[in-house]
Amino acid sequence: MKRYLALMILAGVLVLIVLNLPGEGQKPGGEGPEAKGKAAGFSLPRRQTTLTFVERKGKTLYDFYCVLCHGATGNGDGFNSFNLTQQPAKLADPHLLAKLSDAQIMAVVKKGGAALGLSSQMPSWGSLFKDQDITSLIAYVRTLSKPGGE
Amino acid sequence: MALLVLLLFIGQLWKNSNPSYLAYQKQFKSLLIQKAAQKSKDPEFRFGVRQRWIEKLKKTDRCETCHLGMEDPRFQNALQPFRSHPDVGGHDFEKFGCTVCHGGQGLATSRNDAHGPVENWNQAIYHQAFMENSCGLCHGEFIQDQAPVLARGRTAFQEHGCRGCHLVRGKERIIVGPPLDRMTQRVKSDWLYRWILNPKAYLPKTKMPNPKFSPQQAADVAAVLFQGGKSLEVKVGQPTAEGKKTFLDSRCVSCHSLEGKGGILGPELSKISSKMVPDRLIRIIKNPHELWAASQMPIYGFSDQEILKIVDYLVGEYIDLELDESQAAAQARMVQAGNKLRGKELIEKQGCTGCHTQIEGVKDRGEIGLEMTAIGAIHISHLDFGRIRVAPQDRTVPNWLYNKMKNSRLFKTDLKMPDYAFGDREAEAVTTYLLGLKGQEVPAAFSLPLGVKPSSFAPQGKFGRVVDKYRCFTCHKILGRGGEMATDLTQEGSRVHRAWLEKFMKAPDTIRPILVERMPPFKIQASEIETLYTFFEAALVDDRVENLTGTIKENALRDPALIQQGKNLYHQKYACQACHQINHQGGLIGPDLTKVGDRLRIEWILYYLRNPKAFVKRSVEPAFKLADKEIEAMAAFLVSSK
């Protein structure tokens, strides 16, 4: 009888140890903060953006400099676009963006339109932006033509 | 028994050799092999805990035990926890570690413990939304563009007068609301009642929070405020076209809104006659500073006759059309019958004095709210979630603060804090700012203040009086002090001609069409313009511009060939007309360049074309690298434009 009791205790302890072990279910990609946890009136901060860090950096530049002509959504309809003799490039157009390589966009931003035989109303930004800035700008501009992009 | 101990021992051994991070590390190793296989090289991988010890910050971070790809660009698009860290320029991991910015438990080696929240272990990891709170730790309290959310939160904290009720050591208490003396001479009692009951119903953009009084309480409080003797009876005439013209020409809407459209500095005017006593309107327009020293409204040089005409127009035209007369009368009676004793008690208890001074018979009791000096480091157990049931993983300090900002009475109903009803964006910003108040300093080696501390430039004498009278600092910055709305005047003496300034101050026209706010025509006196320019010319200059004076060949600039060359550069090579207008031709982003030679001094034009970012750093203007010859030609063309 005593033996059985000892075995029972042993089994119980083993079970406890096993339960205490780390779960094997941890998989990469799981994200925590937006989990449910809904209670009346209580809300969790929504993630404001799906952009990556680099794209967000590009967006900051875009929203300050480019937006005036190219428009907030990249439709070439910015506040100042109506004063130009040639409509600014529609950066939200997937066909246009598919044709352009990163190097080509980089060149237009850096040297301006005139240097590449495009509209001279696109100024050159090379002395103002670092290459790294333009890289992040390109990363953001590419999100404009993606479905569901910002 | 012995068997039991042995089994326990074995179990413990097994557990120790299988820590929770091992699953990640095995996975990472297989990924590493995959990635390396492309280069047919065997990766080196050592199992075990990775730790960075940042002695000076008192941080020990083991995050990289699982976040293994952090410094490896090949993991740029990998799933977490392996994704490489984006380049955050200058934030060396070896020097800073992880948790000083991200929060969380650096010592932990399992996902739940590290990311939190864990009971009795304080730091939950910050959501992406609140990340910027950490920037202020090293970069100081004036950081601006590099941490826009934090900067927005700081501004909101100041503008909503949070400091009035909450002590933050090292930050001065600012009372943001207007003084509330002599209210009988200022507003109508029924309006006062409605305002106290729900300020946003009258003015949706107001910063005044809702104190959440019951109708009876609102009447009691209004009864206390509605004291101060009788106002002068003013005969209000019919609105005239003349009054309307003066009102519109004076560009009042630069600061005041009409039905929500217009500026946000001053109160809404579209229902003003249902709010204000006419005599008070007259006195405000005449001298707003006498009534409220902190008022941002300039003193216009109107004649008494003009003021009367404006008031006739305001009172006659801007009426609250939705207001039910009999209801308003009933509200006025409620205020009259209000219990002043109870009202006084409410005012003291609810902390109205955190924002308002000069309430008859009520003393300021200082900061009555919770001290906020180290609110960002508060332990979650001090925060009461009250009647709200929140899942354990969401019971964090950031989440509590965020919800409190959105609805101050969410967790508990009978609180003192009024309801600011911040939207998602504002609540996020204010929460970020609050989380940044940690009441601690980093060692000097880590301190790198960014942004610009506002200066305490306070001009005295004649010039000081003019600047004060017209409240120039509301919109303009001079030597580091003032607003961002209009041009920085620090180099104004080097920039403009005296004759232009005289003309402009008398009748300001639009220079920058993109700005919403317009310089108001103050009806300034000639002697005051003289005072302004004398100071500009003597003190607000830059020698780099002034030194050009002797070097300019006036005759060469009048050469038609050079002008033509400049014209081509302007219109073709650099396409300046994309942003600037000359004679109504061109874009609307930059300043109008019609007759720009009358406005800007030639020295300024030359210097500016060479270094467009020398003075105006935050402008959208591209910086072309113009050759000396091009600058000369362009300048010649610009000053020739008539």
Side-chain angles (χ1 to χ4, degrees):
Chain A
M1 211 52 201
K2 252 188 174 176
R3 269 190 106 93
Y4 276 113
L5 199 67
L7 268 176
M8 290 279 276
I9 291 170
L10 200 70
V13 167
L14 268 176
V15 165
L16 278 179
I17 290 172
V18 171
L19 282 181
N20 213 2
L21 284 173
E24 293 289 310
Q26 297 198 7
K27 287 222 168 71
E31 286 283 297
E34 286 98 321
K36 307 101 226 154
K38 285 267 175 333
F42 188 85
S43 59
L44 297 175
R46 259 183 309 134
R47 198 158 273 199
Q48 305 282 337
T49 166
T50 52
L51 300 177
T52 66
F53 182 82
V54 174
E55 287 160 1
R56 285 207 304 278
K57 256 171 68 179
K59 182 173 160 59
T60 316
L61 289 173
Y62 185 91
D63 286 351
F64 189 69
Y65 293 99
C66 320
V67 74
L68 293 164
C69 293
H70 290 283
T73 55
N75 270 321
D77 56 355
F79 152 81
N80 196 50
S81 63
F82 307 100
N83 299 310
L84 304 178
T85 49
Q86 205 173 329
Q87 205 198 3
K90 284 189 177 181
L91 302 173
D93 176 6
H95 301 294
L96 174 70
L97 266 285
K99 275 190 286 178
L100 294 173
S101 71
D102 284 2
Q104 279 171 308
I105 305 178
M106 171 78 94
V108 177
V109 176
K110 244 173 141 166
K111 298 177 195 157
L116 289 135
L118 300 162
S119 167
S120 63
Q121 292 170 101
M122 166 78 183
S124 67
W125 299 96
S127 61
L128 207 59
F129 299 161
K130 295 188 205 107
D131 281 8
Q132 209 191 3
D133 295 331
I134 304 179
T135 309
S136 59
L137 196 56
I138 295 170
Y140 175 66
V141 164
R142 292 227 176 260
T143 68
L144 292 171
S145 58
K146 282 185 191 138
E150 306 215 351
Chain B
M1 222 14 133
L3 192 70
L4 179 76
V5 171
L6 183 73
L7 275 171
L8 267 175
F9 180 67
I10 292 171
Q12 204 57 41
L13 267 184
W14 189 61
K15 191 181 164 189
N16 266 356
S17 65
N18 275 293
S20 63
Y21 58 78
L22 212 60
Y24 286 134
Q25 293 204 333
K26 283 178 182 158
Q27 218 167 351
F28 184 77
K29 191 181 174 185
S30 63
L31 275 175
L32 210 54
I33 291 169
Q34 272 175 33
K35 293 203 189 254
Q38 295 155 9
K39 289 184 200 157
S40 67
K41 216 178 96 190
D42 234 17
E44 273 176 40
F45 187 81
R46 179 180 58 81
F47 286 99
V49 172
R50 270 71 163 163
Q51 173 176 301
R52 283 191 206 270
W53 180 36
I54 318 296
E55 189 189 357
K56 286 185 185 138
L57 293 174
K58 300 191 188 83
K59 296 275 179 195
T60 310
D61 292 346
R62 297 175 175 165
C63 314
E64 284 162 85
T65 303
C66 298
H67 291 284
L68 288 153
M70 227 178 74
E71 290 181 282
D72 189 336
R74 287 175 299 174
F75 287 82
Q76 205 180 337
N77 299 314
L79 288 173
Q80 287 295 23
F82 305 137
R83 192 178 307 153
S84 43
H85 198 281
D87 180 10
V88 279
H91 293 83
D92 189 6
F93 303 133
E94 194 57 44
K95 185 177 175 192
F96 297 97
C98 309
T99 54
V100 69
C101 297
H102 287 277
Q105 276 50 249
L107 277 169
T109 53
S110 82
R111 182 180 148 181
N112 289 346
D113 288 352
H115 294 197
V118 186
E119 208 172 349
N120 295 329
W121 212 354
N122 191 28
Q123 279 262 3
I125 209 151
Y126 298 121
H127 299 178
Q128 190 186 20
F130 305 124
M131 260 304 296
E132 286 176 16
N133 86 73
S134 316
C135 304
L137 199 61
C138 298
H139 297 304
E141 58 178 316
F142 302 108
I143 182 169
Q144 193 72 40
D145 295 346
Q146 299 88 347
V149 181
L150 179 67
R152 245 185 14 242
R154 178 184 61 220
T155 311
F157 185 86
Q158 281 166 1
E159 287 183 349
H160 288 86
C162 309
R163 186 61 190 78
C165 287
H166 296 283
L167 176 66
V168 181
R169 281 180 206 282
K171 292 199 200 327
E172 199 193 340
R173 186 178 185 216
I174 312 167
I175 304 289
V176 293
L180 298 181
D181 58 321
R182 288 171 290 177
M183 290 302 276
T184 42
Q185 298 180 34
R186 293 162 63 175
V187 296
K188 299 181 173 166
S189 65
D190 57 302
W191 176 85
L192 185 61
Y193 164 85
R194 292 192 300 276
W195 175 258
I196 294 170
L197 199 59
N198 184 6
K200 285 206 165 59
Y202 176 81
L203 180 52
K205 281 187 199 160
T206 184
K207 295 196 175 79
M208 164 122 171
N210 188 339
K212 298 248 166 170
F213 289 138
S214 69
Q216 186 53 52
Q217 284 176 324
D220 293 345
V221 170
V224 177
L225 298 178
F226 202 66
Q227 298 189 54
K230 265 198 164 320
S231 65
L232 277 175
E233 277 294 325
V234 182
K235 268 218 176 118
V236 180
Q238 287 295 312
T240 57
E242 224 182 315
K244 180 178 181 180
K245 188 173 183 312
T246 317
F247 175 74
L248 294 178
D249 286 352
S250 303
R251 295 182 183 161
C252 305
V253 287
S254 263
C255 297
H256 295 277
S257 57
L258 288 172
E259 288 172 3
K261 289 201 182 83
I264 53 163
L265 284 174
E268 161 83 28
L269 294 180
S270 59
K271 300 176 214 163
I272 196 74
S273 80
S274 309
K275 169 189 175 183
M276 300 284 285
V277 175
D279 172 52
R280 179 72 175 195
L281 275 176
I282 294 172
R283 292 177 56 192
I284 290 181
I285 299 172
K286 204 163 185 178
N287 185 352
H289 309 166
E290 191 185 69
L291 307 166
W292 181 17
S295 166
Q296 291 182 301
M297 180 158 161
I299 300 176
Y300 280 70
F302 293 130
S303 69
D304 287 356
Q305 203 52 37
E306 280 172 316
I307 295 180
L308 283 177
K309 289 253 158 73
I310 294 174
V311 171
D312 288 348
Y313 174 71
L314 287 174
V315 172
E317 289 290 322
Y318 295 131
I319 307 166
D320 188 350
L321 294 171
E322 287 156 30
L323 187 65
D324 180 340
E325 293 286 335
S326 61
Q327 217 174 0
Q331 288 165 346
R333 282 195 299 278
M334 264 178 89
V335 174
Q336 209 173 13
N339 184 331
K340 285 187 184 162
L341 216 62
R342 268 203 317 249
K344 220 179 108 179
E345 215 171 88
L346 277 168
I347 290 174
E348 283 179 349
K349 200 178 131 228
Q350 298 302 118
C352 304
T353 52
C355 290
H356 299 286
T357 55
Q358 299 185 40
I359 305 174
E360 183 94 20
V362 178
K363 262 202 192 127
D364 180 14
R365 296 199 296 149
E367 295 98 334
I368 62 160
L370 181 73
E371 181 175 337
M372 293 279 160
T373 313
I375 187 75
I378 197 171
H379 193 278
I380 185 67
S381 63
H382 292 289
L383 299 178
D384 184 3
F385 283 83
R387 60 202 173 91
I388 299 291
R389 279 231 300 266
V390 179
Q393 74 269 18
D394 297 329
R395 293 176 79 94
T396 63
V397 175
N399 284 349
W400 189 89
L401 288 172
Y402 177 73
N403 280 280
K404 177 88 175 174
M405 291 306 108
K406 290 179 80 169
N407 176 1
S408 68
R409 308 281 172 95
L410 177 67
F411 300 116
K412 226 174 165 189
T413 41
D414 57 337
L415 291 175
K416 287 179 185 165
M417 179 154 161
D419 191 13
Y420 286 85
F422 287 130
D424 288 356
R425 219 171 103 89
E426 275 174 305
E428 180 199 335
V430 178
T431 306
T432 303
Y433 177 72
L434 292 176
L435 289 169
L437 298 173
K438 294 184 207 289
Q440 69 184 66
E441 274 178 28
V442 288
F446 287 86
S447 170
L448 179 67
L450 295 174
V452 185
K453 186 184 172 185
S455 84
S456 54
F457 173 59
Q460 312 279 310
K462 256 159 87 182
F463 178 71
R465 280 196 295 278
V466 177
V467 167
D468 190 54
K469 180 177 176 188
Y470 298 107
R471 299 281 142 126
C472 308
F473 287 133
T474 301
C475 302
H476 293 281
K477 191 168 269 174
I478 305 175
L479 294 170
R481 180 181 162 199
E484 305 267 346
M485 237 175 265
T487 313
D488 187 326
L489 299 179
T490 307
Q491 292 90 18
E492 192 67 359
S494 290
R495 184 186 289 133
V496 300
H497 289 293
R498 176 190 287 260
W500 174 83
L501 189 83
E502 278 166 8
K503 212 175 108 221
F504 179 76
M505 289 306 291
K506 277 183 203 145
D509 47 0
T510 298
I511 302 172
R512 291 174 176 76
I514 198 173
L515 297 180
V516 181
E517 293 83 7
R518 296 270 173 267
M519 171 101 165
F522 297 118
K523 304 207 168 229
I524 189 170
Q525 292 160 23
S527 65
E528 291 171 326
I529 302 175
E530 172 74 25
T531 303
L532 284 179
Y533 195 80
T534 308
F535 187 84
F536 287 172
E537 193 181 32
L540 301 182
V541 289
D542 193 294
D543 283 344
R544 290 171 293 178
V545 180
E546 298 302 313
N547 289 344
L548 293 177
T549 304
T551 67
I552 294 158
K553 294 161 239 146
E554 302 268 348
N555 283 334
L557 290 176
R558 278 188 224 112
D559 175 12
L562 193 69
I563 294 172
Q564 185 56 42
Q565 211 183 322
K567 190 173 180 178
N568 292 345
L569 289 171
Y570 181 95
H571 285 288
Q572 279 140 35
K573 185 164 179 195
Y574 295 108
C576 309
Q577 78 281 4
C579 294
H580 295 279
Q581 290 212 328
I582 291 181
N583 293 326
H584 306 292
Q585 298 286 311
L588 293 169
I589 293 176
D592 191 325
L593 298 178
T594 312
K595 294 187 191 172
V596 68
D598 293 351
R599 179 165 73 92
L600 300 179
R601 293 171 57 205
I602 182 70
E603 291 91 337
W604 178 269
I605 295 176
L606 289 166
Y607 192 84
Y608 190 91
L609 286 170
R610 181 162 292 125
N611 308 293
K613 299 281 161 177
F615 304 119
V616 197
K617 294 201 172 58
R618 279 192 105 250
S619 89
V620 294
E621 172 145 21
F624 298 114
K625 285 226 162 82
L626 304 179
D628 284 0
K629 262 269 143 260
E630 289 182 323
I631 291 176
E632 218 166 88
M634 194 89 95
F637 166 65
L638 287 173
V639 292
S640 77
S641 111
K642 291 277 180 311

